[in-house]
């Protein structure tokens, strides 16, 4: 690491803290995936970026791919390029499945937005469980998940049962089981909680839901690309997630959906479109869905955006999801260590599980003035993180782009602001 690459300290450090900073720099020098940061557009003059759980950084290879797609595939190939573009949704889906999702081929496709995909899958699941009247979810689940489930319940005359799980630990098999019975049709949960970062026991929850005869739908937005996801091995039925966070697909990039192969023939998603139709260019009457995962497509794929998802996924595959997870745990451990020493005495509370196997790649802090502290961090140009109501400060530590020194300096900067109490002015 060159001196120009080392971020400036926000203030003078006492000798003991200076030694801690040297330890963080040593961790960066010994980081086996430290090389990956150079594969992204990261400038030494930029603030510390700890918001990868909202929007991932731009891979350099995506810029080259965009140029080639614009100039050659679109510019020269024009409509003839659809010969290859047609296969992008399934091809990139299989790439995600193999490298990041633990899903065999033919079960994942890239299409639409997360909300649309969750709606497709939830609706198909409810149709597959006729006579059952209850949908179960987490009251703290991401809002769009709750909203679309609420809409489906209202439209179909069903019951939406929202469960209050422990805030920091999130859903668990033993906590969920009492709310399941023969009336349960669908359980929809997030694999990693968007606020606390709590990581759910996917396999254990799948077992208790299947024992009740219901289907499971997982939101993977805060886990895909940050940690290994074993969809096939865990017995997951359905899943969907976005690609603009840890997958670095770009703002508003399309989502993906997963349907276990055994379920595909019996499920019919509600948004019928020509890209899910047998012999789509025959333009015939009547809808007849194709076999396999293609039946969960609707309209024309977002070619440019899917190409960006492909580049982000290829880069993560090159780095290796196990290596990414190992560094992610070390990054969050380092921040929690600094939290205990510097921030806990300043009325901050840790709202993320202490057990590294129970959390994703983010740390959440509670503070009465979290919104003002977050604003000051961003406006002063030192740290980019984000705020979630009512009093949460979230720090997303994307392993390919976040350095240990970033984590150390960010924690020190938060300490400085809280000590100076400028957020109260």
């Amino acid at each position: 690491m060159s001196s120009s690459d080392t971020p400036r300290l926000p203030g003078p450090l006492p000798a003991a803290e200076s030694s801690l900073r040297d330890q963080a720099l040593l961790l960066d020098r010994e980081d086996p995936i430290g090389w990956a940061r150079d594969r992204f557009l990261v400038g030494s003059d930029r603030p510390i970026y700890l918001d990868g759980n909202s929007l991932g950084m731009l891979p350099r290879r995506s810029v080259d791919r965009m140029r080639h797609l614009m100039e050659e595939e679109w510019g020269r190939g024009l409509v003839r390029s659809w010969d290859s573009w047609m296969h992008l949704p399934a091809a990139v889906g299989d790439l995600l499945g193999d490298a990041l999702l633990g899903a065999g081929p033919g079960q994942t496709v890239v299409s639409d937005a997360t909300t649309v995909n969750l709606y497709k899958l939830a609706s198909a699941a409810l149709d597959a469980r006729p006579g059952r009247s209850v949908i179960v979810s987490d009251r703290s689940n991401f809002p769009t998940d709750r909203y679309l489930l609420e809409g489906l319940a209202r439209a179909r005359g069903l019951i939406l049962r929202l469960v209050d799980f422990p805030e920091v630990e999130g859903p668990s098999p033993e906590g969920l089981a009492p709310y399941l019975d023969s009336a349960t049709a669908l359980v929809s949960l997030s694999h990693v909680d968007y606020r606390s970062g709590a990581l759910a026991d996917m396999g254990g929850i799948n077992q208790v839901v299947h024992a009740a005869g219901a289907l499971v739908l997982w939101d993977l937005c805060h886990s895909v690309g940050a940690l290994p996801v074993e969809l096939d091995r865990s017995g997951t039925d359905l899943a969907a997630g976005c690609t603009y966070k840890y997958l670095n697909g770009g703002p508003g990039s399309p989502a993906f959906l997963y349907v276990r192969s055994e379920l595909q023939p019996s499920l019919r998603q509600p948004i019928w479109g020509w890209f899910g139709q047998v012999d789509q260019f025959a333009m015939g009457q009547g809808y007849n869905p194709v076999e396999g995962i293609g039946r969960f497509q609707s309209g024309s794929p977002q070619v440019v955006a899917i190409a960006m998802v492909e580049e982000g996924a290829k880069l993560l595959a090159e780095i290796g999801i196990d290596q990414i997870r190992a560094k992610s745990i070390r990054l969050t451990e380092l921040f929690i260590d600094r939290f205990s020493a510097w921030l806990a005495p300043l009325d901050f509370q840790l709202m993320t599980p202490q057990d590294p196997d129970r959390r994703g790649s983010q740390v959440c802090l509670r503070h009465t003035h979290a919104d003002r502290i977050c604003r000051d961090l961003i406006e002063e140009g030192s740290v980019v993180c984000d705020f979630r109501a009512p009093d949460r400060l979230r720090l997303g530590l994307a392993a390919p782009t976040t350095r240990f020194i970033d984590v150390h300096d960010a924690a020190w900067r938060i300490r400085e602001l809280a000590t100076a109490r400028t957020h109260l002015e």
Side-chain angles (χ1 to χ4, degrees):
M1 179 185 299
S2 66
S3 58
S4 63
D5 242 1
T6 304
R8 294 177 300 164
L9 267 81
L13 283 171
E17 278 72 23
S18 180
S19 175
L20 289 175
R21 192 171 196 273
D22 290 339
Q23 292 174 15
L25 289 169
L26 178 61
L27 288 173
D28 281 323
R29 288 195 292 272
E30 297 177 345
D31 180 9
I33 64 170
W35 57 268
R37 181 178 166 88
D38 292 333
R39 301 294 181 88
F40 295 82
L41 287 178
V42 182
S44 59
D45 59 337
R46 298 183 185 180
I48 296 170
Y49 189 71
L50 300 184
D51 209 1
N53 54 337
S54 291
L55 178 64
M57 288 187 174
L58 172 62
R60 295 181 185 276
R61 64 201 306 169
S62 296
V63 178
D64 297 332
R65 176 67 182 278
M66 179 68 77
R67 183 177 297 111
H68 181 272
L69 192 148
M70 291 295 179
E71 295 178 357
E72 298 299 325
E73 297 177 44
W74 182 10
R76 296 180 184 273
L78 292 170
V79 73
R80 293 167 295 177
S81 293
W82 271 109
D83 291 342
S84 60
W85 291 342
M86 292 281 289
H87 306 291
L88 266 180
V92 179
D94 282 345
L95 170 63
L96 294 176
D98 179 61
L100 305 171
L101 297 173
Q107 299 179 105
T108 311
V109 68
V110 179
S111 70
D112 302 306
T114 306
T115 304
V116 175
N117 286 340
L118 288 170
Y119 174 82
K120 288 179 178 180
L121 297 178
S123 181
L126 293 173
D127 286 342
R129 291 294 183 270
R132 292 180 172 237
S133 58
V134 176
I135 304 169
V136 177
S137 189
D138 180 358
R139 191 179 302 277
S140 296
N141 205 354
F142 191 73
T144 200
D145 300 54
R146 289 183 279 109
Y147 299 158
L148 72 90
L149 294 174
E150 183 180 352
L152 279 169
R154 178 174 297 183
R156 292 167 174 254
L158 304 179
I159 299 168
L160 175 59
R161 183 177 294 158
L162 295 176
V163 182
D164 292 302
F165 295 105
E167 184 175 356
V168 174
E169 296 300 324
S172 64
E174 57 275 14
L176 177 65
Y179 298 94
L180 307 178
D181 53 35
S182 59
T184 308
L186 173 68
V187 175
S188 181
L189 300 169
S190 288
H191 190 208
V192 169
D193 186 278
Y194 80 102
R195 293 192 305 174
S196 71
L199 173 61
D201 177 1
M202 178 178 282
I205 287 175
N206 287 344
Q207 288 182 5
V208 299
V209 174
H210 291 158
L215 293 172
V216 191
L217 169 58
W218 287 99
D219 182 331
L220 305 179
C221 287
H222 288 270
S223 54
V224 62
L227 52 91
V229 181
E230 298 292 344
L231 294 179
D232 287 351
R233 186 180 302 173
S234 66
T236 290
D237 299 317
L238 309 162
C242 66
T243 61
Y244 46 79
K245 302 182 191 296
Y246 298 107
L247 292 184
N248 307 291
S253 56
F256 63 89
L257 62 83
Y258 163 92
V259 181
R260 183 159 53 90
S261 57
E262 296 88 340
L263 289 174
Q264 291 175 15
S266 61
L267 296 185
R268 179 167 289 200
Q269 60 101 348
I271 307 177
W272 299 358
W274 74 316
F275 261 74
Q277 165 73 357
V278 170
D279 196 9
Q280 67 182 112
F281 291 105
M283 308 295 180
Q285 296 296 322
Y287 180 72
N288 182 24
V290 298
E291 297 295 325
I293 195 66
R295 64 174 49 200
F296 292 89
Q297 294 188 87
S298 298
S300 302
Q302 308 101 306
V303 172
V304 177
I306 296 177
M308 298 302 98
V309 175
E310 183 176 27
E311 294 307 316
K314 283 181 177 178
L315 179 52
L316 294 190
E318 182 182 347
I319 300 168
I321 191 61
D322 291 329
Q323 291 259 57
I324 290 171
R325 177 58 171 165
K327 182 179 178 181
S328 166
I329 289 175
R330 298 184 75 189
L331 288 168
T332 53
E333 286 284 276
L334 179 64
F335 189 91
I336 291 173
D337 178 75
R338 300 299 188 263
F339 157 82
S340 299
W342 297 342
L343 304 179
L346 298 174
D347 298 325
F348 286 90
Q349 291 178 269
L350 181 66
M351 302 302 294
T352 295
Q354 291 271 8
D355 182 354
D357 293 331
R358 289 281 293 110
R359 65 173 178 261
S361 197
Q362 70 184 57
V363 177
C364 180
L365 304 179
R366 172 193 277 169
H367 192 278
T368 303
H369 303 296
D371 55 342
R372 300 180 188 180
I373 292 172
C374 182
R375 177 201 62 199
D376 288 352
L377 286 168
I378 295 172
E379 289 183 354
E380 294 184 15
S382 57
V383 179
V384 177
C385 53
D386 75 6
F387 165 76
R388 286 293 180 267
D391 53 9
R392 304 296 194 276
L393 190 67
R394 296 193 318 166
L395 302 111
L397 313 180
T401 55
T402 304
R403 297 172 296 188
F404 293 96
I405 196 60
D406 296 333
V407 172
H408 174 94
D409 285 353
W412 180 259
R413 185 58 181 145
I414 295 170
R415 175 192 179 278
E416 274 204 337
L417 282 174
T419 303
R421 300 175 67 82
T422 56
H423 58 277
L424 299 179
E425 296 175 0

